[in-house]
Amino acid sequence: MALNNTYDARPAQQETAVGAAVQILLLALIGTAIGMGPAGWLSGLAFAFATWAVLSRALHRSRPRSFGAANRVTLGRATLVGGVTALVADSFQSSPPVSLFVGLTAVALILDGVDGKVARRTGTSTPLGARFDMEVDAFLILVLSVYVSMQLGPWVLLIGGMRYVFVAAAKVWPWLTAALPPSTARKTVAALQGVLLLLAGADLLPHAANFGVAALALGLLVWSFGRDVLWLYRTSRVEASAESPAARPVPELVAG
């Protein structure tokens, strides 16, 4: 009797559709509350559609048995990031309430530590979930850096753009794609980026202090990326030396 290996993608795909609907609902609530302009609406809707499309494609490729509780938390965080994106885009034309911006961002940052714990406790950690979490984190940092750059200058964009520059560089130098060893320092620096950018963006401190906070975030990120790139480069050189013909042992000749 043949086994039925048919994969039913509908349950997981339905959850992504629900996530997109919730994002649109959040945009409607924000737009109604603050009178959001076209830039905010378009950016928020574009983020909602892109999240749905990319996540649906990734689910189709990975074919998970279920969407998973951890991914639901990350999807909820992505919904908040969509709201933050809309507010930042709207801030180019008007001044949305800082309290709303801070509130959405703070909850998104807090939830950043929840999805990983849920995945470990439920035994549902997957490469897709880890990548989804990382991409949401990276995009939030990019959006926050755009917002802070309007107050402190374009140099702040280096914070949000560094990860994407690293990904682009890996297309040229494949050794950058090698797996890195676990690092508490790397995780700490990554977590601090959002907190420091939110602190600078909230504009609760004097301008000089906000400048220093953002500069600290950039300095920590440069140190973290620099350390990882150096480790990857040295590791690639060692592996290349080990694989070179000159490094291989010469077989001994045995007299007949």
Side-chain angles (χ1 to χ4, degrees), residues 199-248:
L199 179 59
D203 204 21
L204 299 174
L205 304 174
H207 181 82
N210 288 330
F211 188 95
V213 168
L216 174 61
L218 179 59
L220 290 172
L221 197 60
V222 169
W223 170 80
S224 181
F225 268 96
R227 189 184 67 155
D228 287 344
V229 169
L230 182 60
W231 186 91
L232 289 169
Y233 176 75
R234 288 176 174 173
T235 302
S236 69
R237 298 292 293 177
V238 170
E239 292 177 350
S241 299
E243 293 175 359
S244 64
R248 297 173 185 170

Side-chain angles (χ1 to χ4, degrees), residues 179-203:
L180 287 163
S183 171
T184 302
R186 185 189 309 118
K187 293 180 180 179
T188 301
V189 170
L192 282 174
Q193 296 304 303
V195 176
L196 293 174
L197 285 174
L198 178 58
L199 179 59
D203 204 21

Side-chain angles (χ1 to χ4, degrees), residues 78-174:
T79 300
L80 297 175
V81 173
V84 175
T85 301
L87 289 174
V88 171
D90 193 57
S91 67
F92 283 92
Q93 298 177 336
S94 61
S95 299
V98 175
S99 58
L100 181 58
F101 166 78
V102 171
L104 291 177
T105 305
V107 175
L109 292 174
I110 292 171
L111 289 177
D112 185 23
V114 174
D115 45 12
K117 292 181 179 178
V118 171
R120 288 188 292 272
R121 289 182 180 179
T122 58
T124 55
S125 298
T126 63
L128 170 62
R131 181 66 182 271
F132 185 25
D133 177 57
M134 180 175 62
E135 294 300 339
V136 173
D137 289 344
F139 193 80
L140 176 58
I141 297 304
L142 176 61
V143 171
L144 291 178
S145 67
V146 170
Y147 184 76
V148 177
S149 70
M150 290 188 285
Q151 306 171 29
L152 302 179
W155 63 270
V156 184
L157 295 174
L158 293 172
I159 299 174
M162 197 170 301
R163 189 256 174 182
Y164 295 98
V165 171
F166 180 86
V167 172
K171 302 292 184 181
V172 181
W173 298 292

